[in-house]
Amino acid sequence: MSPVNLRVVGLGTAVTVAVLLPLVATARPAGDPVRPTGASAEGDAKPGDLLRGLGLGPRTPDSAVSGPSSAASAAASVVPAAPTAPERVTRCGPELASPEGAEAQTCVLGEEGEVWARTYYRNATSRRFDAFLTLMGPGGRTVRVNCPVPAQDEPGTCETPRERARGAVMAYTAVAELAGAGEGDTTPLLLRSGSNTADGEGS
């Protein structure tokens, strides 16, 4: 081989060696996995990382979801308080009875700003009589009703119409007079019953 050809072969060999050396230096061992560009060097990605990267993320537990159904359940659990019934005030006198068999008890009642009188009676006299019930209020105002009482031994009631209270219920009194039909225009009194002890007396 001529000297010129030897020089060409030698130059080609030097260029080949210079190109292959950097490639050998940067080559990885055959067992190392190849990571994508931008991958973390701390270890394999966790299962949830991929989903979060896609904008999906792991499924949120149902208990942590706040929506219309959970709001409705919360609203349903709040039970409104039951409205309180208006308080009734009752003032009654004692139960009284006459020797003839008439019985009565008279009361004044108040509720929601109204007031009225009521008498409870029983007629064991074997004859018909009338119950005259009077409600007396402040300023001399009176309300009076007449209730016929049949001749039967059964309990009954007689009461005045309700009216707007003009003061406290304690300021009102009631009196019931049980009177039978006598000869002529006379109406003998059988029993007088009041809403307080001072008004109640039997005859």
Side-chain angles (χ1 to χ4, degrees):
M1 182 178 294
S2 64
V4 175
N5 291 336
L6 290 175
R7 290 194 190 97
V8 173
V9 172
L11 181 60
T13 302
V15 171
T16 301
V17 172
V19 171
L20 293 178
L21 284 178
L23 294 178
V24 174
T26 57
R28 295 179 177 271
D32 290 345
V34 178
R35 297 183 181 274
T37 304
S40 172
E42 297 179 358
D44 293 338
K46 298 180 181 178
D49 295 339
L50 177 60
L51 296 179
R52 277 192 288 267
L54 296 175
L56 301 177
R59 179 176 177 82
T60 304
D62 294 339
S63 59
V65 177
S66 176
S69 58
S70 60
S73 301
S77 64
V78 179
V79 179
T84 57
E87 182 179 359
R88 173 176 292 187
V89 179
T90 304
R91 294 179 56 245
C92 297
E95 296 182 15
L96 300 176
S98 70
E100 293 84 355
E103 303 176 9
Q105 183 181 23
T106 304
C107 306
V108 174
L109 301 94
E111 184 178 44
E112 294 185 328
E114 295 181 328
V115 62
W116 68 100
R118 177 186 296 167
T119 186
Y120 302 88
Y121 61 78
R122 181 188 295 271
N123 181 8
T125 65
S126 299
R127 66 180 187 270
R128 175 189 174 278
F129 60 78
D130 293 322
F132 300 93
L133 177 61
T134 304
L135 174 67
M136 295 169 284
R141 176 175 175 79
T142 61
V143 179
R144 187 176 185 182
V145 295
N146 178 16
C147 299
V149 180
Q152 57 187 20
D153 189 10
E154 295 292 340
T157 61
C158 175
E159 65 181 49
T160 65
R162 299 188 183 197
E163 68 172 17
R164 181 61 54 186
R166 305 187 180 189
V169 176
M170 301 293 293
Y172 287 80
T173 57
V175 174
E177 294 179 321
L178 309 184
E183 296 180 357
D185 295 333
T186 62
T187 54
L189 181 64
L190 302 174
L191 183 68
R192 179 183 293 114
S193 169
S195 59
N196 51 52
T197 305
D199 291 334
E201 60 180 42
S203 62

